[in-house]
Amino acid sequence: MTVRSSFAEFAGRSSYWFLHTFMNGGSSLPGKLTLKLDPNILQAFSKKYDLVIITGTNGKTLTTALSVRVLREKYDQVLTNPTGSNMEQGIVTTFITAPRPKKKGLAVLEVDEANVVKVCQYITPIAFVFTNIFRDQMDRYGEIYTTYNKILKGVKLAPKATIIANGDEQLFNSKELPNPVIYYGFNHEERAPFNAPANTDGLLCPKCQHILKYKMRTYAGLGNYFCPNCGFHRPTLTYAVTKIDKLTPTHSTFEIDGQEYTIGIGGLYNIYNALAAYSLGRFLGVSQTQIKDAFESDERVFGRQEVINIDGKQVTLILVKNPVGLNQVLDMIETDEKPFSFAFLLNANYADGIDTSWIWDGDFEKLARHQIPQYMTGGERYKDITTRLTMAGIKEMWHEPDLTQVIDKIKEMPTEHVYILATYTAVLQLRKQLADKGYIKGGMD
Amino acid sequence: MAKYHLHLAHLYGDLLNTYSDVGNIIALQYYAKQMDTDIDVKVVSIDNNFNPDEFDLALFGGGQDYEQLVVSKDLPNKHDAIDKFINEGKPFLAICGGYQLLGHYYIGADGKKIPGLGILDHYTLSQDNHRFIGNITIKNEESGQEYHGFENHNGRTFLGKGERPLGKVISGNGNNGEDQTEGAIYKNTYCSYFHGPILTRNGEIAKKILLAALEYKYPNADLSSQKALKIVPTF
């Protein structure tokens, strides 16, 4: 480590200590300060850690958390970044504040798609894990092809790193790369060839631009695709979900390569995250038994689906940010066998996406087919979500634009179970209210 | 069973679906129901033939650059059918990329000129490293109605002969950021850059489109109750 890097690291560590001791937190400023003093600081860590980068649109956080848990079965120390610190500054903070490893450590980092190249410039990863690429807040991120190209800019700097990619995502099979690639995916059923629903992204064959067909589709454009025109098809899977046994809002039981696993979180999409973590674990030599232990130990990693007790009501608060994620959450809620009420809090600040059009891709018509005793809409853009639900055929609902009043309204709901779907800043605002009233500890998980 | 039945063609609905244009169909079905009308929807894409006589109204949405390029290559196959449909006066809603592709050409992300259908007389230029992004309000000069939407486009569109704007920009950028126009109207074809989606926030436009489709298909029907439908503001 150069003198400059050491000094920069010292300054960053000190500022982190100061912020956390006196100022109640702050995770990007120390990284920012360190980067100012030494823009090449990340390079200093390249000799101390083997790096795995986890990226993609949805599922980064949970895949990272599960991967860390899996890898801790084998490695003494696995460094990772807290949720939300997936850009360059947050990643620097992660490194400078970690206990110094005695021997070479393993770092498993969730990295924002556009920041993959920034990290790879300084540290050459040993592996990448790709979750998926979906349309995500068009006003901020742009198109799916652009997003994948951003990731590939980083991959080009690490041509020897193994890519562990979702084989059900055709984009990950659309470019020839020098890297070794391992694919994971679903192999639990096969049907006669069919088309994905029209409102699905990325259905064009990358080789001949015809519409892809499927023998199996899990959700969105993910599945066992093939091109009826040129024969382009899903690559062979190294690791596969071979059976889905049971899905509930709180647990999923499934088989990977013939062995049964349970994770303490609902949603088919989270099985993909578990499968990605499994694949990385297997790649790095973790045994199936160890992975099963890791998945089934009861330590909480599932911060994005938090169940909060509000005076006896079991309230599940779920962050939603794009149509694919939203539809997966609606699918998951449907698996609840108990009656529940439903609230949607919609804000349109920068972090939420300022265009609310995406809610129209959510299949709320599905909800209207259930007997849901009470609906509520809220947030700054409650009118938009109210219109969405109304046009889905939902007639009666409460409206609460003021998020400070939401908790009182929840208490009046007729069911014990309540689902609240909320955009990013609405989650933050509601969590602040919940913390102020003592229902949760402060801050974002 | 509804009294009236309409068939909607969703042109390239499996490729041009990026900006939640499907919401426009949901809104049309919602208002149609209040007009004793049901609508069935068929996606007409590459490899499909578009028969204009089979449909009463059509939606042509926007997509990603790559998909739009693929669509532009298929358009010559459907040119005559779309031309007939529009010039017969059947209602046609074109949003964003669909709007651009009805005109002579647009400039793609890499600076290449991508030919459109040339059925309407507008053309679209690009702007360097900039997009018009944000909420927008316009006023339709004939009806005095205000329309609300969200724009997100790099293209700068300039209207030509026979087209009038959907509205005058009150706030936001509109077609090109220069002439205060937004969208285009030609016969019963409505073009706009509005997302939101447009018909979910502007029920009055949905009503106009539905009435035009009903009047065309059922010229002798008494549509007075349909015309009397009150649109409740949603935005």
Side-chain angles (χ1 to χ4, degrees), chain A residues 135 138 143-145 198-201 204 209-211 354-358 360-361 381 384 387-388 390-391, chain B residues 13-15 17-20 22 26 30 43 46-47 64-67 150 195-197 200-201 234-235:
Chain A
R135 175 165 34 116
M138 295 294 299
E143 309 190 339
I144 55 175
Y145 309 102
N199 202 26
T200 306
D201 284 337
L204 279 174
Q209 287 84 47
H210 279 72
I211 309 272
I354 56 175
D355 180 7
T356 60
S357 300
W358 63 277
W360 290 87
D361 286 316
R381 298 297 283 272
D384 285 334
T387 304
R388 178 70 195 95
T390 303
M391 290 191 180
Chain B
D14 49 1
L15 296 176
N17 54 17
T18 308
Y19 296 92
S20 312
V22 69
I26 297 170
Y30 173 78
V43 173
I46 52 174
D47 303 335
Q64 311 188 76
D65 290 325
Y66 174 58
E67 275 87 354
F150 186 92
H195 304 298
T200 69
R201 291 192 186 166
T234 57
F235 185 73

Side-chain angles (χ1 to χ4, degrees), chain B residues 50-113:
Chain B
F50 175 50
N51 175 3
D53 301 329
E54 208 184 298
F55 297 100
D56 308 303
L57 64 172
L59 168 66
F60 192 10
Q64 311 188 76
D65 290 325
Y66 174 58
E67 275 87 354
Q68 281 187 195
L69 187 64
V70 171
V71 166
S72 75
K73 289 178 184 156
D74 183 64
L75 281 176
N77 303 325
K78 297 188 176 63
H79 174 278
D80 294 356
I82 297 174
D83 194 348
K84 177 171 190 262
F85 190 94
I86 285 176
N87 277 302
E88 277 178 348
K90 287 183 179 176
F92 192 104
L93 178 66
I95 303 297
C96 199
Y99 171 24
Q100 295 174 349
L101 285 165
L102 278 188
H104 295 293
Y105 62 86
Y106 74 92
I107 308 294
D110 53 0
K112 270 199 202 124
K113 197 168 174 174

Side-chain angles (χ1 to χ4, degrees), chain A residues 302-436:
Chain A
F302 306 113
R304 289 215 168 173
Q305 265 178 39
E306 170 174 39
V307 181
I308 301 156
N309 187 324
I310 302 181
D311 299 353
K313 300 255 184 252
Q314 299 299 312
V315 179
T316 309
L317 176 61
I318 307 173
L319 172 71
V320 288
K321 55 177 189 151
N322 55 34
V324 170
L326 169 60
N327 279 320
Q328 281 293 291
V329 167
L330 295 176
D331 280 352
M332 181 194 72
I333 288 175
E334 263 200 317
T335 63
D336 199 334
E337 287 155 2
K338 298 209 180 89
F340 58 87
S341 302
F342 179 89
F344 197 118
L345 310 177
L346 180 66
N347 280 352
N349 297 307
Y350 181 73
D352 305 294
I354 56 175
D355 180 7
T356 60
S357 300
W358 63 277
I359 58 173
W360 290 87
D361 286 316
D363 187 9
F364 293 99
E365 283 73 10
K366 178 198 301 265
L367 285 185
R369 291 192 289 269
H370 290 262
Q371 297 296 320
I372 296 176
Q374 187 62 55
Y375 288 93
M376 177 168 76
T377 60
E380 290 148 23
R381 298 297 283 272
Y382 76 98
K383 279 189 183 173
D384 285 334
I385 187 63
T386 299
T387 304
R388 178 70 195 95
L389 295 183
T390 303
M391 290 191 180
I394 293 158
K395 293 191 175 67
E396 298 282 321
M397 64 194 104
W398 295 343
H399 310 299
E400 190 47 83
D402 181 357
L403 288 183
T404 63
Q405 303 300 314
V406 163
I407 296 172
D408 288 338
K409 284 272 167 65
I410 301 284
K411 291 181 191 166
E412 290 167 28
M413 287 191 155
T415 53
E416 190 191 324
H417 280 232
V418 179
Y419 287 96
I420 305 178
L421 276 55
T423 57
Y424 189 75
T425 66
V427 169
L428 291 184
Q429 289 164 15
L430 185 63
R431 284 188 56 92
K432 183 170 185 312
Q433 294 298 319
L434 289 164
D436 288 350

